[in-house]
């Protein structure tokens, strides 16, 4: 495919190479190369923010805060809606940009853009419905009035796997609540964030309300912002390891934290499941973003009676997928984000094979340029192998055989994570019974896709704290204020 003929408008990486968006100004800079993971070639360079730049962003967010807080909810709502319309109008260009810097298949990138834009529409609507409360004390001594105020300057940190949606899922509720923000996107995929910020300007977001910076020193820059008493919120999406580090850092200044962390989703298929529906669900739950999703099915538990048919049919479906650069419209499985990601997947698969697993398709990294790992199915995997306990974050489906409900609930819960889970059965009573036993924040019943802006997204155990999206998502960016009123 000739890349040059395809890129135009917002899809052009060169358009976003200026970097650092602070106080409504674009700051030229370089230092962070952004690569096309299907070739390893540099697409553009973006600026590398210093600690001083980050504190300038806090200054800008502080300067804009009173005005934004005082902006009527209807007006905040209209700005978010205009931003939604602009993201929708430029969705195809932005999807191409996502495919270029992240590698995901264009179909997945288009899905992400629709999902990402929808957070602005949803929170444009929620901005006008911020709840309050009025109660009487049981003693009758006074009245209780509860208001919700914007929590204050919010630092938003996002990963590379959904460059648009992870940002809008935070910016939407923060702006709706009346907060000003500093977004730090992942170094691998900053171009989409900068492109969206340009459209935010066009939508009428006032200078300083949204600031965006990239840095090769995420720890130093974030710690400096968290140590600044003007910053009152950290909303982080990324790995559980970095989440733990940030929680400890935020504790020093008691900054409110929302954490969307890693997952290790179990995917349960019972003997009575509709096999075709289970396979369709498995392909979505495993292969959306080539497996690079926190909600990706990481462990397939298949009951003995349906196990062999499931293994055979899943192998056929996975082996048939077309591998290539994400921006090639034919591609169904794009490259991984980095060569390091390929190495990690390779190590997990090799260890699983050493522990007794059989490869039914795939199983070794692809040679040549780019960071490709083929769709892979493993059967007979040991529940003690590392692949059962760590996030694979790649197109690998390890399958485990089980016999009873009790056994599979125990296996499903045998990790530190609790973000997503999936159950396939035609017995709804069984789905609810087993679902109640599974430690998870989200559960798909006969469905391989969970994410929806109107639903509360988040995990239990070490998968996170708080929820994004839905009617409660806005409250993550607000503080309750109680007025004791006597009259
Ligand atoms: P990551 O390594 O934790 O990085 C996430 C973000 O944190 C990036 O912007 C990264 O910046 C930044 N970061 C790294 N070290 C930091 C530090 N010391 N202080 C402050 N920020 C720091 O995760 P990832 O590899 O990008 O993303 C994959 C992980 O995200 C997976 O575990 C996945 O499950 C999780 N995830 C969770 C959800 C959810 O909603 N629960 C959604 C998507 C992904 P640099 O890029 O500059 O290193």
């Amino acid at each position: 495919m000739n890349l040059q003929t395809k890129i135009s408008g917002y899809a052009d990486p060169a358009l976003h190479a200026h970097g650092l968006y602070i106080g409504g100004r674009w700051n030229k800079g370089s230092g962070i190369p952004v690569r096309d993971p299907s070739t390893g070639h540099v697409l553009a360079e973006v600026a590398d923010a210093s600690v001083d730049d980050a504190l300038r962003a806090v200054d800008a967010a502080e300067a804009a805060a009173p005005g934004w807080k005082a902006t009527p909810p209807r007006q905040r709502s209209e700005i978010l809606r205009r931003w939604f319309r602009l993201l929708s109008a430029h969705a195809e260009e932005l999807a191409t940009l996502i495919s270029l810097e992240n590698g995901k298949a264009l179909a997945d990138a288009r899905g992400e853009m629709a999902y990402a834009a929808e957070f602005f529409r949803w929170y444009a609507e929620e901005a006008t419905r911020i709840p309050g409360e009025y109660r009487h004390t049981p003693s009758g001594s006074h009245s209780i009035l509860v208001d919700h105020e914007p929590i204050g300057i919010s630092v938003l940190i996002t990963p590379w796997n959904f460059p648009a949606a992870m940002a809008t899922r935070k910016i939407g509720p923060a702006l709706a609540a009346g907060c000003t923000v500093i977004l730090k996107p992942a170094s691998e995929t900053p171009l989409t964030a900068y492109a969206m910020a340009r459209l935010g300007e066009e939508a009428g977001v006032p200078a300083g309300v949204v600031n965006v910076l990239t840095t090769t020193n995420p720890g130093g820059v974030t710690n400096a912002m968290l140590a600044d008493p003007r910053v009152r919120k950290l909303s982080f999406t990324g790995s559980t390891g970095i989440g733990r580090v940030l929680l400890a850092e935020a504790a020093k200044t008691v900054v409110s934290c929302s954490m969307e962390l890693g997952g290790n989703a179990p995917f349960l298929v019972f003997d009575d499941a509709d096999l075709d529906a289970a396979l369709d669900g498995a392909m979505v739950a495993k292969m959306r973003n080539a497996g690079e999703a926190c909600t990706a099915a990481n462990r397939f538990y298949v009951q003995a009676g349906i196990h062999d048919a499931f293994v055979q049919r899943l192998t056929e479906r996975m082996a048939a997928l077309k591998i290539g650069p994400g921006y090639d419209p034919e591609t169904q499985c794009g490259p991984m984000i980095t060569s390091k990601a390929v190495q990690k997947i390779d190590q997990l698969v090799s260890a699983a094979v050493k522990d007794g697993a059989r490869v039914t398709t795939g199983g070794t990294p692809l040679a040549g340029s780019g960071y490709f790992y083929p769709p892979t199915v493993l059967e007979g995997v040991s529940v003690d192998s590392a692949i059962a306990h760590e996030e694979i974050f790649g197109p690998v489906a390890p399958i485990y055989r089980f016999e009873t409900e009790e056994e599979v609930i125990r296996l499903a819960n045998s990790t530190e994570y609790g973000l997503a889970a999936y159950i396939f059965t035609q017995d709804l009573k069984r789905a609810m019974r087993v679902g109640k036993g599974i430690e998870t924040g989200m559960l798909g019943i006969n469905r391989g896709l969970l994410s929806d802006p109107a639903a509360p997204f988040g995990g239990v155990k070490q998968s996170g704290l708080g929820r994004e999206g839905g009617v409660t998502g806005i409250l993550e960016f607000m503080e309750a204020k109680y007025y004791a009123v006597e009259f």
Side-chain angles (χ1 to χ4, degrees):
M1 160 170 180
N2 179 358
L3 184 55
Q4 296 310 319
T5 59
K6 293 296 287 183
I7 52 174
S8 62
Y10 282 83
D12 184 355
L15 190 65
H16 315 295
H18 32 55
L20 300 195
Y21 179 56
I22 298 176
R25 285 167 190 257
W26 292 95
N27 299 231
K28 278 213 178 302
S30 60
I32 307 182
V34 183
R35 291 178 192 280
D36 170 355
S38 64
T39 60
H41 294 153
V42 174
L43 294 164
E45 256 193 54
V46 295
D48 184 2
S50 63
V51 165
D52 283 349
D53 291 322
L55 295 179
R56 274 199 304 120
V58 177
D59 292 343
E62 185 194 24
W68 187 244
K69 183 179 173 183
T71 302
R74 173 65 70 206
Q75 216 171 310
R76 296 205 293 261
S77 165
E78 294 297 343
I79 291 172
L80 278 172
R81 186 170 276 273
R82 280 203 294 276
W83 205 353
F84 157 74
R85 286 204 202 97
L86 285 166
L87 290 187
S88 305
H90 292 278
E92 191 60 21
E93 293 155 53
L94 292 168
T96 304
L97 186 61
I98 291 174
S99 283
L100 280 168
E101 64 175 349
N102 167 281
K104 70 176 69 177
L106 206 47
D108 285 335
R110 288 179 180 136
E112 179 182 347
M113 267 324 297
Y115 177 53
E118 199 57 40
F119 280 105
F120 286 169
R121 176 154 66 174
W122 176 261
Y123 282 107
E125 289 157 355
E126 291 302 301
T128 58
R129 308 196 205 307
I130 293 168
E133 210 178 303
Y134 180 83
R135 287 172 187 271
H136 305 284
T137 56
S139 67
S141 61
H142 65 280
S143 298
I144 296 170
L145 200 139
V146 182
D147 189 18
H148 290 104
E149 295 188 346
I151 196 164
I153 297 174
S154 303
V155 171
L156 317 176
I157 303 180
T158 51
W160 48 263
N161 66 337
F162 287 90
M166 296 302 96
T168 59
R169 201 165 77 178
K170 297 182 188 306
I171 296 171
L175 264 56
C179 298
T180 57
V181 305
I182 299 140
L183 170 70
K184 195 217 83 59
S187 305
E188 289 90 352
T189 58
L191 303 177
T192 305
Y194 284 129
M196 293 197 304
R198 277 172 157 267
L199 290 166
E201 261 186 328
E202 218 178 294
V205 176
V209 170
V210 174
N211 305 277
V212 186
L213 53 84
T214 35
T215 178
T216 53
N217 178 20
V221 156
T222 306
N223 294 354
M225 290 193 285
L226 292 178
D228 189 318
R230 295 173 294 176
V231 169
R232 295 315 310 146
K233 177 80 194 183
L234 170 65
S235 179
F236 173 77
T237 298
S239 60
T240 296
I242 300 292
R244 286 189 196 108
V245 170
L246 288 172
L247 281 167
E249 202 57 41
K252 293 179 185 166
T253 37
V254 195
V255 168
S256 163
C257 289
S258 296
M259 292 275 151
E260 296 288 345
L261 307 178
N264 187 345
F267 187 105
L268 280 50
V269 187
F270 286 91
D271 283 346
D272 68 349
D274 174 332
L275 181 57
D276 289 319
L279 287 161
D280 287 346
M283 292 305 288
V284 175
K286 180 74 256 180
M287 292 307 295
R288 191 166 65 110
N289 280 355
E292 293 177 317
C294 53
T295 51
N298 213 55
R299 298 167 285 151
F300 287 85
Y301 295 114
V302 186
Q303 206 166 14
I306 202 171
H307 175 273
D308 292 354
F310 185 87
V311 171
Q312 190 201 328
R313 300 263 315 269
L314 187 68
T315 301
E316 287 163 10
R317 300 268 300 254
M318 293 283 273
L321 292 176
K322 190 166 181 318
I323 304 167
Y327 43 80
D328 179 339
E330 303 273 294
T331 293
Q332 293 166 303
C333 177
M336 302 295 97
I337 190 73
T338 55
S339 57
K340 204 169 141 214
V342 173
Q343 272 168 28
K344 187 194 163 194
I345 298 164
D346 190 31
Q347 278 163 10
L348 287 174
V349 171
S350 302
V353 169
K354 219 164 141 216
D355 294 337
R358 186 173 78 84
V359 178
T360 64
T361 185
T364 40
L366 299 186
S369 68
Y371 317 132
F372 289 95
Y373 196 92
T376 295
V377 178
L378 304 172
E379 71 157 328
V381 186
S382 163
V383 294
D384 296 322
S385 196
I387 203 163
H389 303 282
E390 292 181 30
E391 259 188 308
I392 305 168
F393 241 59
V396 179
I399 302 178
Y400 310 79
R401 185 193 294 262
F402 77 90
E403 303 280 346
T404 67
E405 277 183 22
E406 295 70 28
E407 176 193 6
V408 79
I409 291 172
R410 183 176 48 75
L411 288 168
N413 291 339
S414 65
T415 78
E416 65 191 22
Y417 299 104
L419 185 64
Y422 306 88
I423 298 179
F424 280 76
T425 171
Q426 296 195 60
D427 178 349
L428 192 56
K429 271 193 186 161
R430 187 213 296 263
M432 295 307 288
R433 187 171 62 236
V434 173
K436 275 186 191 296
I438 295 184
E439 297 158 352
T440 184
M442 299 177 287
L443 183 65
I445 296 179
N446 295 322
R447 212 183 136 69
L449 182 65
L450 300 158
S451 307
D452 192 292
F457 190 105
V460 300
K461 292 159 75 177
Q462 296 191 39
S463 283
L465 299 169
R467 294 292 180 270
E468 290 190 327
V471 292
T472 55
I474 196 167
L475 295 177
E476 302 274 329
F477 291 93
M478 306 202 89
E479 290 276 31
K481 186 187 264 184
Y482 154 50
Y483 295 81
V485 186
E486 192 156 338
F487 55 86

